[in-house]
Amino acid sequence: MSGQYQVTVVDKETITPEIYRLTLAAPAIAASARPGQFVMLRTGSNPPPLLNRPFSVHWVTDDGHLGLLFKVVGEGTRRLASLQPGDVLTAVGPLGQGFTWHNDNRPCLVGGGMGIAPLYMLARELLASGQQPSAIDLLLGARCRAEVAVLRDDFAALGLSPQIATDDGSLGHAGLVPELLEALLYNPAGFTAAARDP
């Protein structure tokens, strides 16, 4: 059930100088969030006043923690990146309809950049519902190795085998993630070679 809550920063992870993950103590949101939903965060009360910013739910835990993945692109996310454990902010959520899926279909999860964020929670839900890791296709894209390597490792820890595309070719396929999807759909034999992790 959606609502407005005061949430506390538990941890902050720096993935790159521009990309961060926050862990928030947000038990009410974590208890009801579904894959594909989002929260709105107010990043502070200091002037100038800033509107709430939307962030996809990256993951939740049974003990009431909420994970968010974000990139610094402006003043609001810059303030968010400056938060430290113990800081308190306002969150509204969970919002949105979330993803729907059918267990009788083979899922293919595709995301690039910050679009990867909600796929982690979705992958966990698919596995919890009985999907085998080998039956889930996972295609991830980013500008470079640094932006996606940690996320690749997180998915791999779930037993998945993510295929990677990077703009600069520093990890996996040199190109865009839709090219991986096209290879998977139309040239399955060439798919694995194209996305091999060096």
Side-chain angles (χ1 to χ4, degrees):
M1 183 176 190
S2 178
Q4 179 171 301
Y5 307 97
Q6 296 297 109
V7 300
T8 303
V9 177
V10 175
D11 188 37
K12 179 176 70 175
E13 176 187 1
T14 303
I15 295 177
T16 75
E18 298 176 330
I19 298 176
Y20 296 84
R21 272 199 292 211
L22 280 184
T23 302
L24 305 174
I29 295 175
S32 58
R34 293 180 33 81
Q37 290 190 302
F38 66 97
V39 296
M40 300 290 286
L41 294 184
R42 183 173 293 279
T43 55
S45 57
N46 296 331
L50 297 173
L51 298 176
N52 290 345
R53 269 40 176 204
F55 298 92
S56 294
V57 176
H58 188 36
W59 46 258
V60 297
T61 64
D62 292 338
D63 60 355
H65 289 166
L66 169 73
L68 303 176
L69 177 73
F70 68 95
K71 184 172 186 176
V72 174
V73 294
E75 180 60 26
T77 46
R78 191 171 296 110
R79 289 188 186 186
L80 197 61
S82 72
L83 294 175
Q84 299 298 324
D87 287 342
V88 177
L89 59 159
T90 301
V92 177
L95 302 169
Q97 296 301 310
F99 299 121
T100 58
W101 64 89
H102 303 282
N103 281 345
D104 56 344
N105 294 331
R106 182 182 178 96
C108 180
L109 313 186
V110 183
M114 295 304 96
I116 296 172
L119 298 185
Y120 184 73
M121 185 176 180
L122 176 58
R124 287 172 53 175
E125 287 287 319
L126 288 170
L127 294 169
S129 72
Q131 286 279 358
Q132 294 300 308
S134 60
I136 299 173
D137 293 309
L138 176 61
L139 314 179
L140 307 178
R143 291 188 307 174
C144 62
R145 172 187 285 270
E147 291 189 355
V148 73
V150 170
L151 303 174
R152 174 208 53 192
D153 294 346
D154 290 341
F155 284 106
L158 299 178
L160 301 178
S161 299
Q163 302 298 318
I164 309 297
T166 50
D167 294 355
D168 66 359
S170 56
L171 184 63
H173 171 69
L176 304 177
V177 73
E179 295 166 5
L180 292 183
L181 181 59
E182 183 177 3
L184 175 64
L185 294 175
Y186 299 110
N187 185 21
F191 172 66
T192 303
R196 187 179 296 121
D197 182 359

